[in-house]
Amino acid sequence: MDALAVGFWGAYFGVAAVAFLAAAIPLAQGLPRVALLMAAAPFLNSPYVLAALGGFPGGPDLNLRIQSVTALFNSLALSGLMLLMLRTRGWVWRLWGASVLVVLAVAALSWSLPPRSGMLLATGYATFCTLVALALLFSRRALRHHRLAWLAVASVGSVSLGLVLTAWIAANSPGVPWPAHAVTALVVSAHELCMAFAVWSQFSHLAELRLVRAYGSGYDPVTRMRSLETAGNLINSVFATRGSETVGTIVVTVANLYAFENLHGRAEHNQALFVLATRLRNAVPRGVQMCRLGNDVFLLLLRGETSDRHLLDVALRVHERLSQPLTLGVGERPSEVRVGAHQWVPDFGIGVLAVPPDLNRAAAVNTARGMSRTALAYRSRIARYSAQQGDVLEVALPAAATR
């Protein structure tokens, strides 16, 4: 095989590996069904592709037999997975169950033929099944009005084309030019990406639903944080288990959020809150506990590494992310966000406090909150408490941040 062809197929197996490993994300969030759906496509398709390329030991005939079996099994399994993603009626499942008998008959017939002819028969049947599925997607009762309709079409279409191309490569190997390998690798990679994105788009709300069920009204869906109602429980859980540790406390107060809501309305206020919370979440290290202390106040609690230098580094990263202008629009769809768009710059203050073990939790949070309001009068918008001087000091911004 040409070196360029090896490179393209290596890229495909890299995509398949990433898609397979990405299934660990929903699995860690307690969603095993979603993890199974995400891992199924790369797990099923990779052996088929490897057999089509002659990668199994045992010679060409054995690889053609493996390709025949995997083509039939994958057509059955992937169609079942697609039905699991949708609200499928009972008669459709009964029809799918009947197709299992047809697959077994085709598999028996393909094994009675020579390896090359059996592979072409099995791949031809699998391609026929995908073309039927593609035709059903364009029918009146299909997914035309579903948000994942065109993604399903792209996924099934790439499967059909990929089956044809891989069968042609297996039947004419080793004299296949590298551009054919490149096109085939891109097509099957597109299928892997479409399947992973479709599964996550369909079921990503389940991860948030678990938080809603766990915290109820104590979970804020706009910022995706613990709300004021359960902030006390979060603070108590962090400070109660600190022992002799210092707890890093950072409070962010957004001063102009209330005025922004009065000027532009609730919808734009919610969008601004959503973007601010996302930026805040992306700016802090892993393991930081976050919640809302009010409509315009965010609380960050850090355990472990809570030196003054570390807390100031986190505060500077938060300042850098939140100080960027927000582009807000009136559109209801993501593609319409810039319709009537305008920019808004949040005015915020950051209070930084390393809470020693002997300081009361309520006093610590209130002190940090007061420092964040004091920081609104500072040019840098960051205030910290100096235990050495016993006073609140302004934190100077780096030279690059003041330009």
Side-chain angles (χ1 to χ4, degrees):
M1 188 184 299
D2 191 275
L4 289 173
V6 173
F8 277 99
W9 284 116
Y12 160 73
F13 284 109
V15 170
V18 171
F20 181 80
L21 295 176
I25 298 176
L27 184 62
Q29 295 178 346
L31 302 172
R33 178 185 175 188
V34 181
L36 174 64
L37 291 173
M38 289 190 67
F43 179 78
L44 294 173
N45 291 338
S46 296
Y48 170 80
V49 172
L50 192 62
L53 298 176
F56 287 99
D61 289 349
L62 178 61
N63 279 275
L64 291 173
R65 293 297 190 191
I66 295 175
Q67 186 180 357
S68 303
V69 173
T70 53
L72 293 172
F73 179 76
N74 290 0
S75 66
L76 195 63
L78 292 176
S79 61
L81 290 173
M82 287 189 65
L83 296 180
L84 282 175
M85 291 179 60
L86 306 172
R87 293 182 177 179
T88 307
R89 297 183 179 181
W91 67 268
V92 178
W93 279 114
R94 288 191 292 271
L95 185 63
W96 181 84
S99 68
V100 176
L101 301 177
V102 180
V103 168
L104 293 176
V106 174
L109 181 59
S110 67
W111 275 77
S112 66
L113 298 174
R116 186 174 183 274
S117 301
M119 182 274 296
L120 293 176
L121 173 64
T123 306
Y125 175 78
T127 305
F128 170 76
C129 292
T130 58
L131 292 177
V132 171
L134 195 61
L136 292 175
L137 288 175
F138 284 99
S139 65
R140 288 186 176 183
R141 295 185 178 182
L143 302 176
R144 291 189 304 168
H145 302 295
H146 196 278
R147 59 192 178 93
L148 298 179
W150 290 109
L151 193 62
V153 170
S155 177
V156 176
S158 60
V159 170
S160 303
L161 184 58
L163 285 169
V164 173
L165 292 175
T166 51
W168 182 75
I169 288 175
N172 295 276
S173 188
V176 180
W178 72 264
H181 284 281
V183 172
T184 308
L186 292 175
V187 169
V188 293
S189 298
H191 169 64
E192 301 286 359
L193 295 175
C194 286
M195 284 294 295
F197 186 77
V199 172
W200 187 246
S201 298
Q202 185 77 334
F203 295 110
S204 59
H205 69 284
L206 294 178
E208 190 167 9
L209 179 61
R210 289 175 61 86
L211 295 175
V212 173
R213 288 173 59 88
Y215 300 116
S217 60
Y219 176 74
D220 176 26
V222 177
T223 60
R224 292 167 294 171
M225 295 180 183
R226 303 277 286 273
S227 68
L228 179 61
E229 296 183 18
T230 55
N233 294 335
L234 176 63
I235 295 170
N236 291 336
S237 65
V238 172
F239 279 89
T241 58
R242 62 174 168 167
S244 60
E245 290 183 343
T246 298
V247 177
T249 304
I250 299 177
V251 175
V252 180
T253 298
V254 185
N256 58 344
L257 197 58
Y258 178 74
F260 177 80
E261 180 183 1
N262 291 335
L263 184 62
H264 295 285
R266 172 62 68 173
E268 300 242 341
H269 168 268
N270 290 341
Q271 184 181 351
L273 260 181
F274 179 85
V275 176
L276 283 175
T278 301
R279 291 183 177 182
L280 186 61
R281 189 178 293 103
N282 294 335
V284 299
R286 183 179 298 275
V288 175
Q289 301 289 333
M290 293 183 290
C291 66
R292 295 181 69 181
L293 289 180
N295 293 331
D296 53 3
V297 183
F298 299 93
L299 172 65
L300 284 69
L301 297 175
L302 292 78
R303 297 280 300 273
E305 176 58 48
T306 55
S307 63
D308 290 342
R309 183 68 264 168
H310 178 69
L311 291 178
L312 291 180
D313 287 342
V314 174
L316 289 173
R317 287 202 299 270
V318 169
H319 179 279
E320 180 184 2
R321 295 298 298 271
L322 297 189
S323 60
Q324 301 299 319
L326 278 68
T327 301
L328 305 170
V330 298
E332 296 181 356
R333 299 178 181 176
S335 59
E336 299 173 351
V337 166
R338 294 189 177 274
V339 177
H342 58 89
Q343 286 193 333
W344 173 66
V345 180
D347 183 17
F348 59 90
I350 303 175
V352 182
L353 177 65
V355 183
D358 57 345
L359 185 60
N360 179 271
R361 66 195 70 174
V365 173
N366 289 332
T367 300
R369 185 172 185 173
M371 290 167 56
S372 68
R373 293 172 179 171
T374 302
L376 293 170
Y378 295 156
R379 182 179 180 182
S380 66
R381 295 296 196 273
I382 304 177
R384 71 177 180 90
Y385 180 78
S386 174
Q388 297 175 345
Q389 303 184 26
D391 198 5
V392 177
L393 304 177
E394 179 180 3
V395 176
L397 295 177
T402 57
R403 293 175 184 173

